[in-house]
Amino acid sequence: MRRYSGFALVREAMRGHKGWGQQWSSPEPKKEYDVIIVGAGGHGLATAYYLAKEHGITNIAVLEKGWLGGGNTGRNTTIIRSNYLYDESAGLYDHAVKLWENLSQDLNYNVMYSPRGVMMLAHNVHDVQVFKRHIHANRLNGVDNEWLTPEAAKEYCPPLNISQSARYPVMGAALQRRGGTARHDAVAWGYARAASDRGVHVIQNCEVTGVRRGGNGQVTGVETSRGFIGAKKVGVVAAGHTSVIMEMADVRMPLESFPLQALVSEPVKPCFPCVVMSNTVHAYISQSDKGELVIGAGTDQYTSYSQTGGLHIIQHTLDAICEMFPMFTRMKMLRSWGGIVDVTPDRSPIIAKTPVSGLYVNCGWGTGGFKATPGSGHVFAHTIANDNPHRINTAYTIERFNSGRLIDEAAAAAVAH
Amino acid sequence: MIIKCPHCGPRDLAEFSYHGDATLTRPDPASTDRDAWNAYVYDRTNPAGDHREYWQHSGGCRRHVVVSRNTLTHAITDVRFAGERK
């Protein structure tokens, strides 16, 4: 792998940038692999990378029906935080934040992780109580989170409207300073490049159409649009399409797929210093390094695989943004898009073995999977390599819905559901 | 998306509330079969394609309807009152 550095940049600048080469190879699929990962988004590529790096398994293919990082990895609002309520969540999401902190160095790829702070606004007494409970729970788990008065919130984020005449006045905020954003495409590309360098095959335009199983039920490989590919183990990391893939192996999942929309404004000079979220008025916002305001909201109410959502959802979101930040009322919006998110009944992911031997699943990230990308890949790689979960994802099973041991983070999601 | 309510006629999506999968059958209320209840409460086919689902015309006649809708195209092929079995 060509190492990226300041020196390499200067050298290439002198040579007309002709020596950079391909970031990852695009090999023809082999007949058989030790592990096949279905889905080359951030989570799938991270899984392959950590399998190769930490478990010495390099005979891996990552199959992608479209292009690399073209699903929800390219369709989210890039927010990173770990201020979830329950111990299991704190373990998982803070594991990810710790990996984010050194990810650019680890991958030799600038993922532009920017811990600019994530501020969640409280607009009523219930919000205040819930956020304070979160802050205490977080601090007991060693996750930073602090309470701000409206004035302190305004000081941290000057565009914020804390007027008492606002439709939903700000009564305070919870601030996680280690939270922030990262560059979504760079995460997929960085993991693909680093995994490819360790011998992983990243195969795009290769749709999985079936899961083949042997006489004892054990997975033996997958049927694809480019023929059968054998594998001892298959990890499904297919986000919104997980139910469809899992049905090929006769596993019914506790998942529903919904469209989640986001939008960006025209690019403007730096004016918005952090990430602000509000569950009550239903919106979240940050500014990308390119200058666009990145805005998101809740899912549409009905299930869909169409990657589009209703216009009234976006209008509702922008109403909320304009109320909180009156200076944005005249901004023009450039693009909106939808991603298909797979939502579990308790809004926590499933990272687990399945009833089918050799088949593993990492899904159910719902509206907030991007933040967990490194941690998710790391513990899923452990689960596949050892045929046993990592300490951190032990609780994230499919069977938890049957046993009643839910990790009920519905109230802790980015927006109310 | 326009949903053609059997009582009110064609109305905008915003008038309706989504109430989920209509293909499931509730186990006998006296049943203590945990797997059957788990399947009913949590597991979903979640198809990419044709789906039958409950909606309520909450901003109109407030009747519950069963909508046959394609989750890939959002094309609606049938709307009938809930309780009218196919």
Side-chain angles (χ1 to χ4, degrees), chain A residues 119-129 131 147 150 160-164 166-174 276-283 320 323-325:
Chain A
M119 199 163 79
M120 301 176 87
L121 301 178
H123 298 276
N124 52 47
V125 173
H126 177 72
D127 282 353
V128 172
Q129 290 169 343
F131 287 158
W147 179 253
L160 181 64
N161 176 19
I162 56 167
S163 153
Q164 285 304 304
R167 176 69 183 83
Y168 294 101
V170 174
M171 295 177 70
V276 174
M277 321 180 104
S278 167
N279 290 10
T280 299
V281 301
H282 232 187
E323 189 69 38
M324 287 191 291
F325 307 103

Side-chain angles (χ1 to χ4, degrees), chain A residues 32-372:
Chain A
E32 183 161 11
Y33 293 90
D34 289 341
V35 178
I36 284 179
I37 304 294
V38 181
H43 291 242
L45 292 164
T47 304
Y49 170 70
Y50 291 114
L51 273 170
K53 183 187 173 210
E54 306 215 336
H55 304 283
I57 301 171
T58 55
N59 187 20
I60 304 174
V62 186
L63 307 182
E64 169 57 49
K65 78 169 171 181
W67 64 93
L68 194 149
N72 293 347
T73 301
R75 292 173 170 269
N76 65 83
T77 49
T78 76
I79 296 167
I80 295 166
R81 62 188 179 89
S82 60
N83 52 355
Y84 285 73
L85 182 61
Y86 292 103
D87 296 350
E88 295 88 345
S89 313
L92 180 59
Y93 291 101
D94 213 51
H95 181 53
V97 169
K98 284 175 187 149
L99 288 170
W100 278 115
E101 284 165 357
N102 200 38
L103 192 60
S104 294
Q105 287 73 24
D106 187 23
L107 298 179
N108 180 231
Y109 206 98
N110 187 3
V111 299
M112 296 165 78
Y113 169 55
S114 161
R116 59 184 67 179
V118 170
M119 199 163 79
M120 301 176 87
L121 301 178
H123 298 276
N124 52 47
V125 173
H126 177 72
D127 282 353
V128 172
Q129 290 169 343
V130 166
F131 287 158
K132 285 189 172 172
R133 183 182 172 206
H134 274 74
I135 288 169
H136 294 315
N138 290 158
R139 293 172 79 157
L140 285 171
N141 277 316
V143 176
D144 75 303
N145 200 356
E146 62 195 90
W147 179 253
L148 301 182
T149 62
E151 292 72 26
K154 171 96 178 160
E155 197 176 323
Y156 194 75
C157 181
L160 181 64
N161 176 19
I162 56 167
S163 153
Q164 285 304 304
S165 63
R167 176 69 183 83
Y168 294 101
V170 174
M171 295 177 70
L175 173 65
Q176 184 179 26
R177 292 182 191 269
R178 287 155 71 228
T181 60
R183 168 101 172 100
H184 52 289
D185 288 332
V187 175
W189 298 337
Y191 272 122
R193 172 170 168 268
S196 179
D197 180 54
R198 289 171 187 269
V200 172
H201 284 187
V202 180
I203 299 163
Q204 302 177 70
N205 298 309
C206 180
E207 181 174 0
V208 170
T209 54
V211 176
R212 196 183 284 184
R213 294 164 66 181
N216 54 1
Q218 158 85 20
V219 165
T220 57
V222 293
E223 312 283 351
T224 76
S225 53
R226 293 169 70 169
F228 175 75
I229 306 176
K232 297 185 186 78
K233 295 179 176 179
V234 174
V236 177
V237 199
H241 285 75
T242 302
S243 297
V244 177
I245 304 281
M246 293 302 282
E247 201 194 352
M248 297 170 187
D250 303 319
V251 180
R252 261 169 86 80
M253 297 296 293
L255 292 173
E256 287 189 295
S257 297
F258 295 92
L260 176 66
Q261 299 184 76
L263 62 164
V264 293
S265 73
E266 57 191 331
V268 291
K269 288 194 172 175
C271 62
F272 200 78
C274 60
V275 181
V276 174
M277 321 180 104
S278 167
N279 290 10
T280 299
V281 301
H282 232 187
Y284 42 91
I285 180 168
S286 63
Q287 188 174 22
S288 74
D289 293 320
K290 220 166 25 169
E292 303 153 322
L293 297 177
V294 184
I295 297 167
T299 63
D300 282 59
Q301 58 174 335
Y302 49 85
T303 60
S304 171
Y305 284 81
S306 76
Q307 293 191 328
T308 56
L311 186 64
H312 60 288
I313 302 284
I314 292 179
Q315 284 173 334
H316 176 79
T317 305
L318 291 176
D319 285 349
I321 293 294
C322 291
E323 189 69 38
M324 287 191 291
F325 307 103
M327 67 184 262
F328 294 145
T329 49
R330 295 173 69 187
M331 289 282 279
K332 293 183 177 67
M333 294 298 140
L334 274 193
R335 302 188 305 278
S336 74
W337 63 89
I340 299 305
V341 299
D342 45 326
V343 176
T344 57
D346 63 358
R347 268 68 184 175
S348 287
I350 295 166
I351 316 168
K353 297 165 69 170
T354 69
V356 176
S357 176
L359 184 68
Y360 305 81
V361 69
N362 182 351
C363 65
W365 290 96
T367 58
F370 178 77
K371 65 173 78 68

Side-chain angles (χ1 to χ4, degrees), chain B residues 3-17:
Chain B
I3 298 176
K4 196 172 168 189
C5 173
H7 185 267
C8 307
R11 296 298 183 92
D12 187 75
L13 166 72
E15 291 186 12
F16 292 83
S17 312

